Amino acid sequence: MKEFDLKDVTITSPFWQDYLRLIKEKTIPYQLQVLKDEIAVDVQAERKDDSLPAGKSHAIENFKIAAGLSAGEHFGWFFQDSDVYKWIESVGVILQSQSDAKLEAKADEVIAIIEQAQEDDGYLDTYFQLKFPKLKYRQLYFSHELYCAGHLIEAALAYDKATGKDKLLQVAKRFVSNIAEHFGYGDNQIQGADGHQEIELALVKLYDYTKDESYLRLAQFFIDVRGKNPDFYREEVAANLADGLSDDNPMIDLEYLQAYTQPKHQKHAVGHAVRMLYMATGMAKIVARDFDAELYQACLDIWDDIVHRKMYVTGGVGSTVHGEAFVGPYDLPNDTMYCETCASIALLYFAYELFQISPKAEYIDVMERVLYNGILSGASADGKHFFYVNPLEVDVDSCHHNSGKGHVKTQRPDWLGCACCPPNFARTIGSIGRYIYLESGNELFINLYIASQLKGKDFVLKQKTDFPFENKVEITYSGVQKTLYLQEPYWAKDLVVTCENAKVLQREGRRIKVYLEDGAHIVLHFGQPVLAVHSNPEVRADIGKVAIQKGPFIYCAQAVDNPNLKYCRLDSKLVNQAHAVKETKDFGVCTSLTLPCQKVDAWQEKTLYQFDYEETSRLSDLVMMPYYLWGNQGETDMQVWFPEIRRNVP
Ligand code: FUB
Ligand code: ZN
């Protein structure tokens, strides 16, 4: 399948236009100021641990020092360079649809510094250049050198595409040549992969852009070599100890690194969630270009494990802070989970790649679920505050006093010492236009209902809709005859399709195939009811609980709107009595819901436990809003899953 260029997709949806404006006008300028340490912001460690970098970003300063333009030492995480690359990528994707000379000049300045920081042989990683030059490519279990290279490639591609300026692309290609020289199955080459995947998917993108097959082969090498020798990382550590280069002797967790066996033999989502999903995305990209049945089966097994056993209702993944990782099946705690914004983003990528191999409804369902919930929750309405961890339940007092929840922030910080998520949010939402349509020969696919205009080689297609708020999508088409594929959303009720100069050819499950000719006009109507969501009873954390969904949005309630939130119980039979109001709040337009709930009375006794307690309750209202908007009204308790009153016991 073929993606469309961002310049071919003009977003007209007010919901998404607001996001694009926010990213261009607020998030991108703000992030540059932070990366340059130009403004005083509260840069917090991502969890309670005084040894973690915090206080400032220093990311651009690291490049300046490596370039000899500034004096000083490297500061921050060893993958700090990637924050800058992701920032450039977000500028690139924005500039692909609208030019802005001032913004371009700012990015050019940063790119010039990066170019000067690169070593003559193409190597580029400020952490190792400044701190441990002798350990280049020798600490792959943690080094992130190739992870950073991957983000450099992605930034360079986006920027070259937007501006036609290839300075950063040349930097990236030189770095890739250096990598290709050092890594491979040849004698004296390193037969191992970076502990953090990312280069694999980036190399496939580089191949797509340049058509140079050596990049695809290198991506295949990194997927193939991972886990081939499960002792690779231990041998690397032993060699550094023996050569006196490092006294670092860590415990290597091969599951965390997804290196316990080769990816093609992996069947489960294990270990660090972002790594897992960047790897899976790379695998799927390779499969789509050079089909490999074993690798594809691994993608499908990993997918199945995630969406049927390890994914939160928000699309978040990663149930534990320990290793920022997947855990066993159905283990989905709501208040200690991780659900890193980057992991949600990576799930979107993986779903999108799998859809391109086999266009099934389930991939679009997950794309939509994670986009409107687990990803959008990553940034505040002002575009300048970011969650790294996206909880489904927050008890503010508990987060302050329970160090086991030290990673669960009760408000989005200005910035984070480990700042992978904020620029990831900007580049992903900034390129939302990429996910709406696909093309394959004479077939067109609408994946997401987002008001927009798509200009193809021989056609123009327009989507007119106020979705996600409205239940009507109007599609107009002018151009040559084509087949169009649409999808009934998994939460929709009573979909009706009407056509003029077009014809529904087939409805298979929720996939709809339509024949289009010039002047086609298609209207979709579907109900967007308030739904009670239950989870598989294997999910212990959600037993006897109900969550609320309307359209693509999962809803939550906050204590700021609902005093004594923890006393609220919902009756799923009454959710159809919810009162929905589309309103404009300080933090944006949203449809808020007011549902009947039972508020149980507080205990009159001071005791912690009682015998034969008879609960009493009063009818009350529960005010809910889309989950992604929580945390924009100050520090407050928040809840997605509510204890349910079940009345029809036989
Ligand atoms: O290691 C690089 C990024 O930082 C990971 O993807 C995130 O989980 C965070 O650890
Ligand atoms: Zn992140």
Side-chain angles (χ1 to χ4, degrees):
M1 280 199 199
K2 186 179 144 308
E3 287 179 11
F4 289 92
D5 283 349
L6 288 172
K7 68 170 173 31
D8 298 332
V9 183
T10 309
I11 307 275
T12 50
S13 149
F15 181 89
W16 288 104
Q17 273 182 337
D18 282 353
Y19 264 110
L20 292 176
R21 202 174 305 116
L22 187 78
I23 284 171
K24 178 164 186 272
E25 291 173 10
K26 300 276 190 289
T27 308
I28 288 178
Y30 169 78
Q31 295 197 348
L32 181 61
Q33 288 180 308
V34 175
L35 294 169
K36 285 181 153 179
D37 309 305
E38 280 179 352
I39 47 171
V41 288
D42 179 20
V43 181
Q44 298 182 14
E46 60 278 16
R47 48 183 186 270
K48 277 192 189 125
D49 179 343
D50 291 342
S51 69
L52 299 177
K56 60 182 174 183
S57 161
H58 211 255
I60 291 186
E61 191 61 15
N62 290 335
F63 280 105
K64 281 191 171 170
I65 300 168
L69 301 170
S70 223
E73 286 182 7
H74 183 280
F75 175 87
W77 280 97
F78 35 84
F79 47 84
Q80 209 86 338
D81 293 359
S82 59
D83 299 350
V84 181
Y85 299 147
K86 278 186 255 182
W87 178 82
I88 296 171
E89 187 181 344
S90 57
V91 174
V93 296
I94 290 293
L95 293 183
Q96 280 177 39
S97 27
Q98 38 178 314
S99 56
D100 181 326
K102 278 192 187 151
L103 183 57
E104 194 173 320
K106 287 186 175 162
D108 285 345
E109 238 177 69
V110 177
I111 290 168
I113 300 169
I114 294 172
E115 188 193 35
Q116 292 175 74
Q118 184 167 41
E119 296 191 346
D120 292 344
D121 65 357
Y123 184 88
L124 179 55
D125 185 294
T126 65
Y127 178 81
F128 283 91
Q129 287 171 253
L130 297 174
K131 286 184 94 124
F132 300 106
K134 290 197 176 140
L135 285 166
K136 288 176 189 167
Y137 299 146
R138 294 193 60 142
Q139 284 187 320
L140 293 165
Y141 66 94
F142 91 88
S143 77
H144 286 61
E145 287 154 293
L146 309 189
Y147 165 89
C148 289
H151 282 302
L152 168 62
I153 295 168
E154 290 196 87
L157 293 175
Y159 201 70
D160 183 74
K161 194 163 212 169
T163 62
K165 293 179 182 166
D166 73 346
K167 188 182 274 189
L168 196 64
L169 189 54
Q170 295 308 332
V171 171
K173 284 183 174 174
R174 283 196 293 273
F175 194 4
V176 173
S177 298
N178 183 280
I179 292 167
E181 202 180 297
H182 286 85
F183 291 82
Y185 286 127
D187 292 343
N188 300 323
Q189 283 190 303
I190 304 166
Q191 301 192 2
D194 193 309
H196 199 314
Q197 302 87 333
E198 154 64 23
I199 190 150
E200 303 81 358
L201 74 90
L203 282 169
V204 180
K205 288 189 179 182
L206 187 57
Y207 158 68
D208 286 348
Y209 198 67
T210 61
K211 303 283 174 275
D212 179 340
E213 255 197 50
S214 69
Y215 298 132
L216 180 61
R217 302 292 161 236
L218 192 56
Q220 287 171 317
F221 162 77
F222 283 123
I223 290 291
D224 192 67
V225 78
R226 188 173 213 90
K228 197 171 174 124
N229 167 14
D231 288 329
F232 171 79
Y233 297 110
R234 282 189 277 266
E235 287 168 6
E236 185 188 46
V237 168
N240 290 336
L241 285 167
D243 295 347
L245 292 176
S246 166
D247 47 17
D248 195 16
N249 193 4
M251 210 269 297
I252 306 280
D253 178 347
L254 293 178
E255 282 208 347
Y256 169 81
L257 300 167
Q258 295 89 29
Y260 56 97
T261 185
Q262 283 176 286
K264 62 184 174 193
H265 301 311
Q266 299 191 16
K267 295 193 175 337
H268 303 288
V270 298
H272 187 273
V274 183
R275 294 171 197 239
M276 175 78 249
L277 282 159
Y278 280 1
M279 178 175 93
T281 302
M283 288 158 68
K285 273 186 170 296
I286 289 171
V287 168
R289 282 146 189 87
D290 189 4
F291 189 75
D292 174 332
E294 260 185 320
L295 206 54
Y296 187 36
Q297 190 55 49
C299 289
L300 297 178
D301 289 344
I302 291 165
W303 171 263
D304 180 65
D305 194 35
I306 294 173
V307 301
H308 294 121
R309 290 178 282 280
K310 298 181 179 171
M311 180 182 73
Y312 284 85
V313 72
T314 54
V317 287
S319 294
T320 178
V321 57
H322 302 288
E324 310 179 303
F326 285 104
V327 295
Y330 309 111
D331 193 356
L332 296 164
N334 291 307
D335 58 347
T336 55
M337 69 315 81
Y338 215 60
C339 292
E340 182 182 338
T341 307
C342 286
S344 291
I345 288 171
L347 181 58
L348 171 79
Y349 296 167
F350 184 36
Y352 188 46
E353 294 304 327
L354 288 179
F355 182 81
Q356 293 184 53
I357 301 172
S358 172
K360 291 191 185 147
E362 58 183 303
Y363 302 127
I364 298 297
D365 295 346
V366 170
M367 281 173 66
E368 190 201 77
R369 181 187 291 281
V370 74
L371 175 64
Y372 284 96
N373 300 289
I375 296 179
L376 286 187
S377 61
S380 59
D382 72 358
K384 297 182 179 182
H385 297 83
F386 307 93
F387 273 139
Y388 181 111
V389 164
N390 293 276
L392 283 84
E393 183 171 321
V394 167
D395 175 332
V396 171
D397 278 346
S398 171
C399 289
H400 287 323
H401 298 114
N402 178 348
S403 56
K405 293 182 184 169
H407 58 293
V408 184
K409 308 276 185 197
T410 54
Q411 294 205 270
R412 294 175 182 85
D414 296 349
W415 198 249
L416 294 135
C418 172
C420 49
C421 301
N424 215 358
F425 180 89
R427 72 173 183 144
T428 304
I429 298 303
S431 53
I432 184 66
R434 174 178 300 156
Y435 302 97
I436 308 175
Y437 303 101
L438 282 165
E439 183 179 43
S440 172
N442 213 30
E443 298 181 328
L444 268 178
F445 296 79
I446 294 184
N447 312 323
L448 299 172
Y449 296 122
I450 293 182
S452 52
Q453 173 176 299
L454 170 66
K455 211 165 170 314
K457 221 169 52 206
D458 44 17
F459 70 91
V460 176
L461 183 147
K462 287 184 191 161
Q463 272 196 74
K464 210 175 121 202
T465 177
D466 194 23
F467 186 85
F469 300 115
E470 198 191 58
N471 318 324
K472 181 179 169 198
V473 181
E474 242 183 299
I475 298 159
T476 52
Y477 177 85
S478 56
V480 300
Q481 294 168 354
K482 281 199 191 286
T483 310
L484 174 70
Y485 288 89
L486 304 164
Q487 177 155 320
E488 177 180 2
Y490 66 97
W491 41 259
K493 280 275 175 297
D494 308 324
L495 176 88
V496 177
V497 188
T498 52
C499 296
E500 251 174 67
N501 296 329
K503 191 172 163 204
V504 174
L505 297 174
Q506 196 184 10
R507 278 179 78 157
E508 210 180 302
R510 289 184 288 109
R511 300 290 297 163
I512 306 160
K513 182 174 171 184
V514 183
Y515 164 74
L516 286 182
E517 55 184 41
D518 191 36
H521 183 222
I522 302 160
V523 183
L524 309 178
H525 280 278
F526 42 81
Q528 206 183 79
V530 176
L531 297 167
V533 185
H534 291 99
S535 77
N536 185 320
E538 290 290 328
V539 181
R540 194 173 281 276
D542 300 334
I543 292 175
K545 292 188 182 167
V546 60
I548 302 296
Q549 177 164 2
K550 178 170 163 49
F553 296 117
I554 299 296
Y555 274 70
C556 73
Q558 299 183 101
V560 66
D561 300 317
N562 302 280
N564 293 327
L565 186 61
K566 64 182 118 176
Y567 294 146
C568 295
R569 312 280 181 262
L570 283 180
D571 182 340
S572 57
K573 299 276 179 316
L574 299 184
V575 300
N576 54 5
Q577 293 183 15
H579 181 57
V581 189
K582 185 179 168 194
E583 49 188 348
T584 306
K585 303 250 190 191
D586 299 346
F587 46 84
V589 182
C590 75
T591 302
S592 57
L593 299 176
T594 305
L595 277 88
C597 83
Q598 285 290 334
K599 209 168 240 184
V600 298
D601 293 326
W603 285 21
Q604 296 309 314
E605 313 298 326
K606 284 245 167 355
T607 57
L608 197 48
Y609 308 102
Q610 273 188 54
F611 292 117
D612 301 325
Y613 177 70
E614 292 217 3
E615 189 172 270
T616 56
S617 62
R618 289 159 293 124
L619 189 62
S620 184
D621 281 341
L622 185 69
V623 177
M624 304 191 87
M625 67 167 63
Y627 166 77
Y628 77 95
L629 285 170
W630 94 270
N632 280 298
Q633 294 156 275
E635 193 172 48
T636 185
D637 290 0
M638 182 277 293
Q639 220 169 299
V640 168
W641 289 98
F642 281 82
E644 184 176 13
I645 308 163
R646 292 263 193 190
R647 286 179 302 160
N648 53 351
V649 181

